[in-house]
Amino acid sequence: MIMKNKYLIILSAILIVSCAKKTETLTSKNENVSSYVDPFIGTGGHGHTYPGATVPFGMLQVSPVNGISEWDWCSGYHYSDDVAIGFSHLSLSGTGIGDLADILFMPVNKAVDLSTNPISRDSIPYKSSYSHKNEKATPGYYQVFLENHNVNVELTTSKRTAYHKYTFKEGDTQSVVINLGFAINWDKSIETFLKVEDEHTISGYRNSTGWAKNQKVFFVAKFSKPIVNYKLSADGNTTDKDLVKGIKTSTQLFFDGAKNKELLAKVALSSVSVENAKDNLDAKEETFETTKSEAETLWNSALSQIVVETPTDSLKTIFYTSLYHAQLAPVTFSDKNGQFRLENDSIVTAKNYTAYSTLSLWDTFRAEHPLLTLIAPDRVSDMVNSMLAFYDTKKILPVWTLYGNETNTMTGYHSIPVIVDAYQKGIRGFDAEKAYEAMKNTMMQDDRGLIYYKKYGFIPYSLLDESVTITLEYAYDDWCVAQMARALGKEADYQYFLNRSKAYQQLFDKKSGFMRGKSVDGKSWNAPFDPKHSNHREQTDYTEGNAWQHSWFVPQAVDDLIAIHGGNEIFTSRLEKLFTESSEITGDNVSADITGLIGQYAHGNEPSHHIAYMFNHANQPWRTQYWARHIMDTQYNTTPNGLSGNEDCGQMSAWYVLSSIGLYPMNPASGEYEIGSPIFEKSTIKLPENKTFMIEAEYVSHTNFYIQSATLNGKPFTKTTLSHQDILKGGTLHFVMGNKPNKNWGIKNKAQQLTKK
């Protein structure tokens, strides 16, 4: 009996420990991952992010505005600042051009003069200082204390409604300034309108021009207290009427502060009309606290699509903040009823899909959109349908859309690889034939240098600036069109566009190893030539960079690029030199976008993002592992300066998300991911049908970043690529890591290389 009890005690102990372990594992998987996100990362340096409140891909981004129009204030906010002039409802995340900051609200505790036109921030009468010590941001929530007005500001949002909560000092005047004339950077108002509709409601619109040439924003705001007094102003003239129109309009609203210290406001926008804004406004039962809680829930769900396990909290902070930034844009653009406005003022209705805008395609086609095929595949078709809606108006696919406007910013037509990537991965929620028609028509028109590209097989440097970059990007877009043509059985088109996609061969100078500007005669090079030279956006062969950074953009044919270099040895020697060359950039007009330098590799701008993974194709995957890890370690951190360049609507962060789990879409439309160097012990990707794909890195550490061996679902795995379809099947990719390169893993023998070719 004593012996039996002894065994029962031991068995009970084992069960308790086992249950504890299961509980611990379950807890780690269901933890509040949004708590690791720091929205202030990227708000310093040249990151150009904003700290304000939004939900995943939300219509509104309600955020503080500092009131300075300079490059590092493109989002309206920079961490170096400590003055606020208000809180706007539209913000750009990490772009290099400043716009938006529309519909500015500012709580104040005194009457201010709105009749004067401030010539600088210093002369704005309602500005206020604040301290970062009294400022907080989490996914879906922002708070700051305005020192000059003794007001605590809290902000949160749902998908289409912003919630403001202002807590005034007891006994103080409770007032809100609304300014529709304020603009940052390139933006300026053309016509604005304000109307006090009733004692709780104000509405209006703002028509402006800037980066978005024809931007119309309609709004409605409902307050928790009656408006007891107000002043309306238009272009310096104040009126007691209940409505006002002008180039610049503003108002100061006063509320009864006797009953309590809190004033709440709900604000909704629309690109179509005030009526649509009213329809977008959340129902009455929604409160600030319930909305804040729901925003946190939405973010936890979005951020839990990839669960990483590591004992290093700082790595979790970088990872989940990156995953957060990668889901801020594109933004919801269609109203609840499906309507949205295009730049020609036509009103379109999105039927059975949500329309999106803020498509920073020159950046996001590289990694953010491929990431979304993994973590938000249900949204990808809607984004493609949004591009096709823009195509309907111009018969050309979009380049960079902002609030329904085509900005024509940057080079190439990279909506094309986004569409092809989606189709290649089995995403079918759009008309494939229409999408193909759109891609083909776009690449067969004459605008933006295509007339020269078609005539000469490349773009001569004397006919168009940035000719090398544009030629290389059109060649890639052509390759993407060819893949779609083949998938749809259009063999003649496949051969035509595949042949055009070899245009990079025309610009390769074998002697120097660089892609160079070539003359109309197809023989002579642009000289003199300095591969380190940068001349920002004028009289240059390269976009926001130099020959060192742009000569590697042939993701569709890396094996051929290696061959024209003269083989693996020459190619890898030149590629290694990119990272070890001096970081001097020459020229009198150097692009400010060339940041995050490792040698001449510039991680702070997107053209460099795929380059480290090219070693895989030259039979030196350990170099990919080394440089991918080095970039992760040196170009990202947990401070406001934690991004080495413009965030660019999610691309800088998507690079980290994918690279840190050991994968990267070097050729974004290939349906394959290159193997890099996983930084986490375990990463779990949640998939449809309750499947998961796990990536394990045994023995991984700060020094153990080289792959020693690998198995896929228990079987030896020696390839340096993994297909999207293999991931969708679910399973486990297990790596054993070490501190020295295994130069036998991932190596293709000559027979394999010949077969692939």
Side-chain angles (χ1 to χ4, degrees):
M1 186 74 176
I2 294 172
M3 187 66 88
K4 186 176 180 181
N5 285 341
K6 181 180 178 181
Y7 284 126
L8 284 171
I9 291 168
I10 293 171
L11 180 61
S12 297
I14 291 170
L15 287 170
I16 290 168
V17 171
S18 175
C19 288
K21 284 186 176 179
K22 285 182 180 178
T23 302
E24 183 182 343
T25 303
L26 188 65
T27 301
S28 67
K29 287 186 177 180
N30 292 328
E31 64 184 326
N32 180 15
V33 291
S34 66
S35 66
Y36 289 104
V37 175
D38 183 356
F40 290 110
I41 292 176
T43 60
H46 301 314
H48 295 185
T49 62
Y50 62 83
T54 189
V55 295
F57 311 100
M59 176 178 275
L60 301 170
Q61 312 83 41
V62 58
S63 191
V65 175
N66 294 137
I68 288 180
S69 291
E70 293 180 14
W71 191 54
D72 279 331
W73 279 261
C74 280
S75 73
Y77 176 98
H78 195 264
Y79 197 80
S80 64
D81 213 331
D82 61 0
V83 173
I85 65 156
F87 303 89
S88 66
H89 292 78
L90 296 173
S91 307
L92 285 166
S93 179
T95 62
I97 300 179
D99 203 328
L100 302 185
D102 293 69
I103 319 299
L104 197 76
F105 279 44
M106 182 65 167
V108 298
N109 64 351
K110 61 183 180 181
V112 296
D113 183 6
L114 298 179
S115 64
T116 60
N117 183 28
I119 57 174
S120 70
R121 182 175 74 175
D122 291 341
S123 56
I124 294 175
Y126 47 83
K127 68 181 183 298
S128 176
S129 298
Y130 63 90
S131 168
H132 294 305
K133 293 179 181 179
N134 291 320
E135 184 183 31
K136 180 182 179 182
T138 59
Y141 175 75
Y142 174 83
Q143 173 273 325
V144 70
F145 181 75
L146 300 177
E147 296 172 353
N148 292 66
H149 303 302
N150 286 316
V151 180
N152 190 58
V153 176
E154 296 175 83
L155 308 170
T156 191
T157 71
S158 64
K159 187 175 183 178
R160 291 186 176 88
T161 301
Y163 289 71
H164 299 241
K165 181 179 179 182
Y166 308 138
T167 304
F168 291 83
K169 184 179 178 181
E170 192 166 354
D172 270 6
T173 297
Q174 295 184 13
S175 180
V176 177
V177 171
I178 301 175
N179 189 343
L180 303 190
F182 173 77
I184 62 168
N185 294 310
W186 294 265
D187 187 41
K188 67 176 181 178
S189 59
I190 296 173
E191 182 180 83
T192 62
F193 173 82
L194 281 167
K195 180 181 180 182
V196 178
E197 296 205 356
D198 57 45
E199 63 179 4
H200 287 277
T201 311
I202 187 167
S203 65
Y205 66 78
R206 183 178 189 271
N207 182 7
S208 63
T209 186
W211 193 13
K213 297 299 181 187
N214 181 23
Q215 185 188 352
K216 290 184 171 70
V217 184
F218 299 83
F219 85 97
V220 63
K222 283 190 174 291
F223 294 91
S224 60
K225 295 179 179 180
I227 302 167
V228 296
N229 194 9
Y230 61 85
K231 295 178 181 178
L232 293 173
S233 179
D235 304 325
N237 299 311
T238 303
T239 178
D240 293 328
K241 294 180 180 179
D242 62 2
L243 57 86
V244 67
K245 181 188 289 188
I247 296 174
K248 295 182 178 183
T249 59
S250 58
T251 184
Q252 182 170 17
L253 310 175
F254 296 88
F255 303 87
D256 183 1
K259 292 183 180 180
N260 61 62
K261 298 184 293 182
E262 289 183 356
L263 174 66
L264 296 99
K266 291 199 301 185
V267 185
L269 309 185
S270 166
S271 67
V272 176
S273 65
V274 168
E275 288 306 310
N276 275 21
K278 291 178 179 178
D279 188 44
N280 288 339
L281 199 69
D282 285 347
K284 290 181 180 180
E285 58 265 23
E286 297 296 333
T287 67
F288 186 93
E289 293 304 325
T290 59
T291 304
K292 177 188 172 186
S293 178
E294 177 61 20
E296 183 179 332
T297 299
L298 288 171
W299 274 116
N300 269 317
S301 176
L303 296 169
S304 296
Q305 294 307 301
I306 303 178
V307 176
V308 298
E309 298 178 32
T310 175
T312 309
D313 280 352
S314 61
L315 291 180
K316 283 188 177 181
T317 294
I318 296 171
F319 177 84
Y320 284 112
T321 302
S322 295
L323 195 55
Y324 166 80
H325 279 145
Q327 297 180 81
L328 295 181
V331 301
T332 298
F333 190 50
S334 53
D335 295 331
K336 276 186 181 178
N337 65 6
Q339 291 184 330
F340 60 100
R341 181 185 300 271
L342 295 179
E343 63 184 294
N344 64 358
D345 281 324
S346 61
I347 305 301
V348 180
T349 301
K351 296 179 179 178
N352 302 317
Y353 75 95
T354 297
Y356 291 90
S357 195
T358 309
L359 291 159
S360 181
L361 293 164
W362 189 77
D363 311 289
T364 56
F365 87 93
R366 304 170 196 266
E368 193 212 5
H369 283 285
L371 173 63
L372 297 184
T373 66
L374 283 171
I375 64 171
D378 54 322
R379 297 184 189 270
V380 173
S381 290
D382 287 2
M383 292 174 187
V384 172
N385 282 316
S386 301
M387 297 175 197
L388 296 180
F390 294 126
Y391 167 75
D392 284 338
T393 66
K394 287 191 170 182
K395 299 306 176 187
I396 297 173
L397 282 167
V399 176
W400 208 123
T401 66
L402 174 61
Y403 216 80
N405 283 244
E406 174 59 88
T407 68
N408 272 312
T409 301
M410 308 310 292
T411 48
Y413 282 100
H414 300 315
S415 45
I416 291 173
V418 172
I419 296 170
V420 176
D421 180 48
Y423 191 81
Q424 295 282 60
K425 291 176 177 175
I427 294 172
R428 296 288 190 270
F430 57 92
D431 185 335
E433 288 290 343
K434 179 179 179 180
Y436 179 73
E437 171 201 307
M439 291 188 283
K440 180 178 178 179
N441 287 349
T442 297
M443 292 307 294
M444 291 304 294
Q445 46 103 15
D446 292 339
D447 290 347
R448 292 166 52 86
L450 277 166
I451 188 171
Y452 309 127
Y453 179 78
K454 291 185 293 183
K455 180 177 180 180
Y456 298 99
F458 65 97
I459 297 175
Y461 71 84
S462 60
L463 300 181
L464 190 66
D465 276 350
E466 305 178 351
S467 62
V468 172
T469 298
I470 296 171
T471 297
L472 295 177
E473 294 188 7
Y474 282 160
Y476 180 66
D477 292 339
D478 274 344
W479 183 87
C480 294
V481 177
Q483 306 314 301
M484 191 73 170
R486 188 177 214 182
L488 296 177
K490 304 177 189 296
E491 187 62 24
D493 281 2
Y494 167 71
Q495 293 296 338
Y496 173 80
F497 285 105
L498 186 66
N499 185 58
R500 269 194 2 182
S501 75
K502 298 173 184 176
Y504 63 88
Q505 295 175 351
Q506 301 270 11
L507 300 185
F508 182 68
D509 175 16
K510 190 170 184 178
K511 184 177 180 181
S512 69
F514 293 101
M515 297 288 178
R516 294 182 57 185
K518 184 174 272 189
S519 65
V520 173
D521 64 18
K523 298 177 182 178
S524 55
W525 302 108
N526 191 2
F529 175 67
D530 174 4
K532 294 183 178 180
H533 186 266
S534 165
N535 195 27
H536 185 65
R537 307 312 300 262
E538 58 183 26
Q539 296 181 345
T540 179
D541 294 334
Y542 311 96
T543 302
E544 294 182 357
N546 60 24
W548 269 115
Q549 291 133 25
H550 283 266
S551 292
W552 311 97
F553 190 72
V554 190
Q556 74 274 24
V558 179
D559 293 342
D560 187 52
L561 182 63
I562 293 169
I564 64 177
H565 269 269
N568 286 346
E569 187 175 340
I570 295 174
F571 179 82
T572 54
S573 175
R574 288 173 175 168
L575 194 53
E576 184 74 8
K577 193 176 181 182
L578 168 73
F579 291 95
T580 58
E581 183 73 13
S582 82
S583 295
E584 177 194 16
I585 306 294
T586 60
D588 298 325
N589 183 32
V590 172
S591 176
D593 297 275
I594 304 176
T595 58
L597 285 166
I598 303 171
Q600 286 288 314
Y601 173 91
H603 193 71
N605 208 17
E606 282 66 26
S608 288
H609 280 191
H610 69 292
I611 298 175
Y613 292 89
M614 300 179 87
F615 287 109
N616 279 352
H617 286 252
N619 257 3
Q620 293 195 13
W622 63 90
R623 292 190 186 276
T624 283
Q625 295 155 33
Y626 175 85
W627 287 114
R629 182 58 181 263
H630 184 74
I631 295 164
M632 283 184 268
D633 288 345
T634 61
Q635 302 299 304
Y636 298 84
N637 62 60
T638 59
T639 73
N641 293 347
L643 295 172
S644 61
N646 293 171
E647 164 64 10
D648 283 320
C649 296
Q651 170 57 26
M652 194 68 63
S653 291
W655 186 97
Y656 186 90
V657 170
L658 289 166
S659 293
S660 67
I661 65 173
L663 307 174
Y664 191 76
M666 184 196 66
N667 177 354
S670 67
E672 290 191 330
Y673 304 90
E674 298 290 327
I675 302 296
S677 179
I679 204 169
F680 301 110
E681 282 81 349
K682 185 177 181 181
S683 306
T684 304
I685 305 170
K686 295 182 181 178
L687 301 168
E689 301 174 3
N690 292 320
K691 294 179 182 178
T692 60
F693 187 81
M694 291 184 289
I695 301 171
E696 299 172 339
E698 189 176 357
Y699 307 128
V700 71
S701 70
H702 185 67
T703 54
N704 291 355
F705 50 78
Y706 290 112
I707 296 171
Q708 306 299 300
S709 63
T711 58
L712 178 61
N713 299 326
K715 297 179 180 179
F717 183 80
T718 58
K719 297 192 301 180
T720 58
T721 59
L722 181 70
S723 76
H724 187 80
Q725 296 308 316
D726 281 340
I727 292 175
L728 291 183
K729 292 173 187 175
T732 302
L733 177 60
H734 182 89
F735 295 106
V736 177
M737 311 299 289
N739 63 2
K740 294 181 180 179
N742 176 0
K743 296 185 179 181
N744 293 314
W745 184 85
I747 302 303
K748 295 184 280 288
N749 60 41
K750 289 185 178 179
Q752 287 175 308
Q753 293 183 66
L754 288 171
T755 301
K756 183 175 181 180
K757 192 174 181 181

